[in-house]
Amino acid sequence: MITLALSKGRIYDDSMPLLRAAGVEVLEDPETSRRLILPTSRPDLRVVLVRASDVPTYVQHGGADLGVAGLDVLLEHGKHDGAADGGGGGLYRPLDLKIARCRMSVAVREDFDYAAAVKQGSRLRVATKYTHTARQHFAAKGVHVDLIKLYGSMELAPLTGLADAIVDLVSTGSTLKANHLVEVERIMDISSRLVVNPAALKLKREPLRALIDAFEAAVGAAA
Ligand code: PRT
Ligand code: MG
């Protein structure tokens, strides 16, 4: 049995055309079903539904053989204080699926002079869910920051005075706009990756390779 970890929402939705192109249909709709393990048209392949940020954990520890996770999630995986491994370890990351694309950016209030704040060298208060990536970004620029870890609704932080800036994902930009925030720096482009458990790749080499190859062909065809 091969277990594929997906998260509900855009990753699931964007993974479906790739699965279909690989000849796989998921037999239950996660939006209407309460089941967390979904059978597919291939008797030897099942889908498990987990939180987006839990996908690398499932794959790393073998709860799933492979999974689809955003680069944002992978870069933060295992980087929290006290993490047992150095981060990202124990995962074979073979394929950029080019789905769920967005960018990670720095945003501030419309009336905040980011360039001046950076130039002055004063400490910038930055709220984000992506503390590892944000720390690296500002360290590389030589900008001193106080990072404030949040788990959601980052947009609220500059509006309430909690932070001067946020580091968040942006796709259309309409969330920033609706909250009178502006994007002042683009840190990196983000897309989702297929991650694979290395031990599974050894034990189930043939079927996993075939599936990865089918995904790869589907990505190529979609491009
Ligand atoms: O929701 P949950 O806490 O369970 O987890 P999650 O938020 O990580 O899951 P989900 O499904 O929202 O996102 C899964 C993955 O999709 C992320 O890890 C990204 O790799 C990718 N992705 C692509 C995005 C976006 N686009 C995106 N726009 N993830 C989040 N957003 C959010 C963004 O954080 C902001 O709040 O959408 C808002 C901005 O969108 P625009 O279109 O208004 O700019
Ligand atoms: Mg979300």
Side-chain angles (χ1 to χ4, degrees):
M1 178 62 78
I2 296 176
T3 302
L4 168 67
L6 297 175
S7 55
K8 271 208 239 183
R10 58 192 116 215
I11 287 192
Y12 183 91
D13 297 344
D14 287 7
S15 294
M16 282 311 110
L18 296 177
L19 271 176
R20 243 169 248 136
V24 178
E25 286 287 339
V26 181
L27 299 178
E28 233 165 294
D29 177 1
E31 294 307 326
T32 53
S33 170
R34 286 174 184 273
R35 294 171 80 175
L36 297 174
I37 301 181
L38 308 178
T40 76
S41 54
R42 265 181 61 169
D44 67 333
L45 177 67
R46 62 183 186 172
V47 167
V48 292
L49 297 174
V50 305
R51 283 289 288 266
S53 47
D54 290 336
V55 168
T57 307
Y58 269 82
V59 175
Q60 181 175 359
H61 298 285
D65 298 308
L66 69 180
V68 178
L71 180 60
D72 50 313
V73 165
L74 291 170
L75 291 175
E76 296 294 319
H77 176 65
K79 301 287 186 175
H80 58 87
D81 295 334
D85 85 273
L91 288 175
Y92 176 58
R93 192 179 310 176
L95 195 58
D96 181 355
L97 298 176
K98 300 185 177 155
I99 58 168
R101 291 169 105 148
C102 57
R103 54 195 186 269
M104 194 176 296
S105 294
V106 182
V108 299
R109 270 169 65 148
E110 285 166 355
D111 57 3
F112 183 80
D113 192 341
Y114 179 70
V118 165
K119 217 194 290 166
Q120 277 163 19
S122 52
R123 290 188 83 85
L124 205 65
R125 292 169 307 146
V126 178
T128 186
K129 187 167 153 186
Y130 310 100
T131 48
H132 177 74
T133 308
R135 183 174 291 113
Q136 285 210 317
H137 172 71
F138 289 109
K141 285 169 55 88
V143 175
H144 294 288
V145 291
D146 287 318
L147 290 172
I148 302 164
K149 169 83 182 185
L150 291 178
Y151 292 89
S153 302
M154 263 81 84
E155 297 85 7
L156 202 54
L159 304 179
T160 54
L162 179 69
D164 303 311
I166 59 171
V167 167
D168 196 6
L169 301 176
V170 181
S171 59
T172 62
S174 57
T175 305
L176 292 181
K177 202 165 179 201
N179 290 292
H180 304 286
L181 301 174
V182 287
E183 198 176 351
V184 287
E185 236 165 44
R186 195 177 175 128
I187 299 176
M188 66 175 83
D189 289 327
I190 298 286
S191 58
S192 286
R193 313 294 157 114
L194 186 67
V195 289
V196 184
N197 178 285
L201 196 52
K202 286 200 188 105
L203 290 167
K204 308 177 189 176
R205 177 151 198 100
E206 296 292 299
L208 274 181
R209 257 288 140 217
L211 193 59
I212 295 166
D213 288 348
F215 265 115
E216 190 156 22
V219 175

